[in-house]
Amino acid sequence: MSAAENRPSPRLLIVGPPGAGKGTQAVAIAESLGIPAISTGDIFRANVKNETELGVKVKAILDAGDYVPDSLTNELISDRLSQPDAAEGFLLDGYPRTLQQVEFLDEHLAEKGQSLTTVVQLVADRDEIVERLQRRAVEQGRSDDTEDAIRHRQDVYLRETAPLIETYRERGLLVEVDGLGSIDEVAGRIETALAHRGFSPVASAS
Ligand code: ADP
C-alpha cells in the first residue's frame, strides 16, 4: 500500500501481435509492480469455458479469430477497471484493440481523473510468432489456435490494431521492446524500459 503512495500509479498497456508473448510478460510485469494483469482474451475464454451468457455469445467469434463487438468488450473492461484492485494501477493485455476501444478507455479513465501512463509494445518477427502459436496450440489446447484462425488473427491485428500503436506513439506513451529471446530476456528488457519511466518493482515482490 505505502509503495503505491510514493510513485505515480502505473496504468499500463502491453501491445503487440498475437503470439508475441504478451500474456506471459503481462503477468510477470503486473506481479512485480503489484497491480492486476487484465487480459480480455483470458476473460472471454473463461466465460466460454464456464458457458456463461457472455461466453455463449462470444464463442463462435473467438473460434473464428474475429473481434468481439466493442460494446461487449468495453462494458467488460469498465466493470473490471472499477474493481478495487485496479484503483492504483493495472496492466491491460489485449485491450484496446480498436480505435473505438481507445476512445472508450480514454473517456473511462478521464471520468476518474486518470490517464494511461505507458504503453509497452512487444516487437516480434512474424515467422517466429506463427511458430510460437502452433506450439501453444498443442500445449494449451486452445480451440482458437487452428492454423487458419492464427493467420486470420494476424491479419485482423495488422488491419485493426497495429494503427492504434501510432496513436500512443504520438502521445509519447510508447516504449518499444524487442520481443525475441527467452522469457527472462524479454522480461528484463521490459523491466529496464519501465524503470526508465519511473516504474520499479515493489519491494515486497523482489
Ligand atoms: P491473441 O493474443 O492470441 O490474439 P487474446 O487472448 O488476446 O489472443 O484474444 C483472444 C480472442 O479474444 C481474440 O481473437 C478476440 O476474439 C477476443 N478479444 C480479446 N480482446 C479483445 C478486444 N479488446 N476486442 C475484441 N475482441 C477481443
Side-chain angles (χ1 to χ4, degrees), residues 17-51:
K22 292 190 303 287
T24 307
Q25 297 297 340
V27 170
I29 303 165
E31 192 181 333
S32 86
L33 295 178
I35 52 177
I38 300 173
S39 156
T40 41
D42 282 352
I43 298 173
F44 285 132
R45 276 189 294 277
N47 277 275
V48 169
K49 192 168 171 217
N50 296 325
E51 299 180 348

Side-chain angles (χ1 to χ4, degrees), residues 16-19 64-67 97 126 129-130 133 147-163:
D66 288 323
Y67 284 177
R97 262 176 153 100
R126 204 185 160 102
I129 283 172
V130 172
L133 284 175
E147 196 179 333
D148 278 354
I150 289 171
R151 271 210 210 100
H152 185 62
R153 290 213 306 281
Q154 299 282 338
D155 291 344
V156 175
Y157 172 81
L158 283 175
R159 192 178 65 232
E160 304 274 339
T161 301

Side-chain angles (χ1 to χ4, degrees), residues 16-23 39-45 58-70 72-74 76-77 93-98 101 133 136 142 144-145 149-150 152-154 156-157 161:
K22 292 190 303 287
S39 156
T40 41
D42 282 352
I43 298 173
F44 285 132
R45 276 189 294 277
V58 302
K59 183 178 188 318
I61 300 173
L62 259 71
D63 283 351
D66 288 323
Y67 284 177
V68 173
D70 287 335
L72 286 177
T73 311
N74 287 336
L76 181 104
I77 275 295
D93 161 20
Y95 182 95
R97 262 176 153 100
T98 66
Q101 292 178 12
L133 284 175
R136 184 178 73 181
R142 274 176 54 155
D144 63 343
D145 269 349
I150 289 171
H152 185 62
R153 290 213 306 281
Q154 299 282 338
V156 175
Y157 172 81
T161 301

